[in-house]
Amino acid sequence: MVSAFRGQSPVRSVVCMIDVTQMIEVRGLTKRYGRVLAVDALSFDVMPGVVTGFLGPNGSGKSTTMRMILGLDTPDRGSVRIGGRGYRELGWPLREVGALLEARAFHPGRSARAHLTALAASNGIPASRVEEVLGMTGLRGAAGRRAGAFSLGMAQRLGIAAALLGDPGVLLFDEPVNGLDPEGVRWIRDLMKSLAAEGRVVFVSSHLISEMALTASRLIVIGAGRLLADTTVAELSARSASLEDAFLELTASTAEYRATGSPS
Amino acid sequence: MTTAAVTHNEKHRGHYRFRHAARMEWIKLRTLRSVGWALLIALAGMIGIGIAAGVNTRNPRGDVTNNILAGGALGSLVFAVLGALVMTSEYSSGTIRATLTAIPRRPLVLAAKASVFAVVALAAGELVTFAGFLAGTRFLRASVPHPALSQPTVLRAVALSGAYLCLIGLTGLALGAIIRHGAAAVAVVVAGLFVAPLAGLARTGAGKFMPELIYANSLVATQPVQGFTVSPWTGLGIIAAYTAVLLAVGGWLLASRDA
Ligand SMILES: Nc1ncnc2c1ncn2[C@@H]1O[C@H](COP(=O)(O)OP(=O)(O)OP(=O)(O)O)[C@@H](O)[C@H]1O
Ligand SMILES: [Mg+2]
């Protein structure tokens, strides 16, 4: 992991009631897959206490950035710090960072309970916490069944249960409302807001500006892997007739670039 | 829910260790249905082939023990496939991303997975070979000698047969880590174990280095086999070396590739 920016890391004595030691610091993050430059010199901070939306058109690099934050993909350049450390340096990763990734991350033949119990054991989390998160996500009745038979909404809840397992101070959600019914969308929205209100870092990606308008207060907007805006929902909506217009204006140039520059 | 910020400091003291990774891998292994099925197939195969070989052994001067342990070929295939699937199912299901976010030190993940699998595969391997041997000897004709576990060479042959299954299972797991795709990993295992000897290479000097030939001519042989000079323990060492090299390559690739 690159540690070059340790010397120039932002001053920590921010006048604030919440614990900023858990912030996510992304610096110069760059990732190329063959001819596709998925993430391009991206830098931003995610602060605790508010829901931060991570917004960008399809293929703009949101999932890639999330995977790099979690140490799953190695950046070509740049670095990510969570509370001052790289993900791979964390002592008990699941107790510090919880993540819901875009794709399913459990075996279809295993039960939800078995999946969560295995993860809990890896980070010294008591088994009682597994029952707690099953209850919180409404999965207790289905916990003994093959997770492969879960509906999209139940699978999403299992992913969220896994993210909450270690009661972490930092939470990442990649497209959490994808494919959910209105009730499920509302539930996730309220959950994210309450997690942020407890002083946690909550970083949520979406390509739906309307959803982010209801959930997030801060916004990181990217297009073609580059930072387009580091702003608030209020600021962005003041720029145009509507928040959606402002977003489309912001991303228009990169969308064009993608349409002509994409190898596919 | 507790307030994360308040508990931040005392909550994060310490670090996950090998035993945490091993506990996770143990839970994952015993909650995969395919593990139980595979071991049941191996058990049925070793017993079935052991009995068939016992009934059909007629030569009183032949290697009776070796005949009865002929099921090791099928057993090794089952163990290799199981080992490969234990690893590749992490990729096909996406579980690997949960695993690596829980334990980001990747060589530790593979070491824990391989260790847990090795313990289970060794116990299961010995169980199925001893069961196959005992079943096979019960069906021997009166005209052929009846090998017994009290004879050191017989005991060694049966014990090494079980160890062989464990090592081949681990080789499958290592190939799964290298290739990451179930069907492709199984194809490579089958090619390495069975196609290479059939491809006419068996009669060349290379035969000494082929696992299935080492198994049949050395590990489970209680009489010297003409033209095969590898001793049982050297044979086991050669196979263990393959396993170790493949596991090291798998660990290195796991650590260096994107998940
Ligand atoms: N593993 C990979 N191999 C090759 N290319 C990849 C890989 N992952 C992502 N990409 C490419 O990188 C770019 C960014 O993809 P990414 O999935 O990060 O976008 P996204 O913002 O999450 O999109 P969406 O809103 O559709 O989820 C895309 O062009 C994608 O095709
Ligand atoms: Mg995505």
Side-chain angles (χ1 to χ4, degrees):
Chain A
M1 278 283 169
V2 184
S3 58
F5 74 87
R6 181 162 255 168
Q8 60 190 66
S9 79
V11 183
R12 288 282 157 66
S13 55
V14 180
V15 185
C16 190
M17 293 306 286
I18 43 191
D19 180 9
V20 293
T21 59
Q22 299 176 81
M23 68 189 280
I24 303 173
E25 299 159 282
V26 172
R27 291 294 175 279
L29 212 54
T30 302
K31 180 73 179 180
R32 180 181 283 283
Y33 296 108
R35 285 167 57 196
V36 181
L37 188 56
V39 175
D40 185 4
L42 195 57
S43 299
F44 58 85
D45 289 341
V46 188
M47 304 297 284
V50 292
V51 176
T52 302
F54 192 27
L55 205 56
N58 289 128
S60 54
K62 302 182 295 293
S63 299
T64 303
T65 303
M66 293 239 179
R67 287 198 306 271
M68 288 194 281
I69 293 173
L70 296 167
L72 292 173
D73 283 16
T74 308
D76 296 329
R77 275 196 304 282
S79 64
V80 178
R81 310 242 127 202
I82 302 165
R85 284 168 305 161
Y87 191 88
R88 292 181 192 186
E89 297 157 31
L90 300 178
W92 301 106
L94 299 184
R95 299 199 222 167
E96 302 191 45
V97 183
L100 169 76
L101 292 169
E102 200 170 24
R104 289 189 181 197
F106 53 82
H107 193 283
R110 225 173 251 132
S111 71
R113 184 174 281 118
H115 175 69
L116 295 172
T117 305
L119 290 178
S122 72
N123 274 240
I125 297 164
S128 58
R129 178 67 184 164
V130 170
E131 298 307 316
E132 250 174 73
V133 295
L134 284 169
M136 284 162 66
T137 50
L139 281 176
R140 196 165 276 158
R145 277 162 43 195
R146 297 179 60 242
F150 279 10
S151 70
L152 193 55
M154 286 160 82
Q156 209 74 329
R157 281 166 187 266
L158 177 52
I160 289 168
L164 297 176
L165 192 59
D167 193 20
V170 177
L171 286 139
L172 309 183
F173 298 100
D174 196 0
E175 311 269 7
V177 301
N178 253 6
L180 291 190
D181 57 22
E183 199 186 328
V185 172
R186 165 75 60 86
W187 176 73
I188 287 191
R189 198 185 292 150
D190 293 344
L191 176 72
M192 289 189 297
K193 285 182 180 170
S194 66
L195 290 168
E198 287 166 349
R200 298 172 210 257
V201 173
V202 180
F203 191 44
V204 194
S205 86
S206 179
H207 50 257
L208 301 171
I209 178 72
S210 50
E211 179 53 36
M212 283 298 96
L214 293 170
T215 315
S217 33
R218 286 208 65 82
L219 286 179
I220 308 287
V221 187
I222 64 168
R226 285 192 302 260
L227 185 72
L228 298 178
D230 184 343
T231 179
T232 64
V233 172
E235 251 169 48
L236 191 61
S237 24
R239 283 197 205 176
S240 261
S242 73
L243 191 62
E244 191 174 36
D245 287 341
F247 173 65
L248 290 175
E249 278 163 30
L250 201 56
T251 54
S253 58
T254 62
E256 234 166 79
Y257 162 82
R258 281 201 317 124
T260 54
S262 130
S264 57
Chain B
M1 250 183 272
T2 58
T3 304
V6 175
T7 53
H8 185 262
N9 280 335
E10 30 102 16
K11 208 171 116 180
H12 302 301
R13 223 167 284 147
H15 203 287
Y16 61 83
R17 304 277 168 212
F18 176 83
R19 66 173 190 278
H20 299 101
R23 210 169 295 146
M24 167 169 72
E25 293 303 332
W26 164 240
I27 296 169
K28 286 198 291 191
L29 191 65
R30 69 181 166 76
T31 52
L32 265 191
R33 275 153 219 239
S34 47
V35 176
W37 284 112
L39 297 181
L40 214 58
I41 290 169
L43 182 66
M46 290 299 282
I47 290 177
I49 294 173
I51 290 173
V55 169
N56 289 302
T57 295
R58 293 189 176 83
N59 181 358
R61 273 165 314 188
D63 192 335
V64 178
T65 305
N66 196 343
N67 290 351
I68 289 173
L69 293 174
L74 173 73
S76 63
L77 179 63
V78 173
F79 274 63
V81 169
L82 178 63
L85 291 184
V86 161
M87 194 67 217
T88 58
S89 70
E90 291 247 343
Y91 287 97
S92 57
S93 66
T95 313
I96 189 72
R97 286 185 287 268
T99 301
L100 295 182
T101 45
I103 308 277
R105 276 194 209 157
R106 299 185 181 189
L108 187 70
V109 169
L110 190 63
K113 195 183 267 300
S115 303
V116 167
F117 182 80
V119 170
V120 172
L122 185 62
E126 297 296 353
L127 177 83
V128 301
T129 43
F130 273 89
F133 175 82
L134 294 175
T137 48
R138 283 189 159 247
F139 285 84
L140 284 171
R141 291 153 196 267
S143 56
V144 296
H146 284 48
L149 293 172
S150 53
Q151 299 163 269
T153 50
V154 173
L155 182 63
R156 186 263 299 147
V158 179
L160 288 195
S161 175
Y164 176 73
L165 297 184
C166 168
L167 285 176
I168 294 299
L170 273 176
T171 304
L173 189 147
L175 284 169
I178 293 168
I179 300 169
R180 300 198 283 191
H181 188 278
V186 168
V188 170
V189 165
V190 170
L193 287 180
F194 303 108
V195 179
L198 291 177
L201 295 166
R203 267 156 301 184
T204 69
K208 282 202 281 294
F209 299 101
M210 292 182 183
E212 286 296 320
L213 297 179
I214 293 173
Y215 177 79
N217 296 313
S218 170
L219 295 189
V220 297
T222 58
Q223 298 171 6
V225 175
Q226 263 277 295
F228 205 91
T229 53
V230 180
S231 81
W233 295 103
T234 309
L236 194 73
I238 292 172
I239 296 166
Y242 291 156
T243 309
V245 168
L246 289 172
L247 277 173
V249 172
W252 179 76
L253 286 174
L254 180 64
S256 55
R257 287 190 294 212
D258 289 339

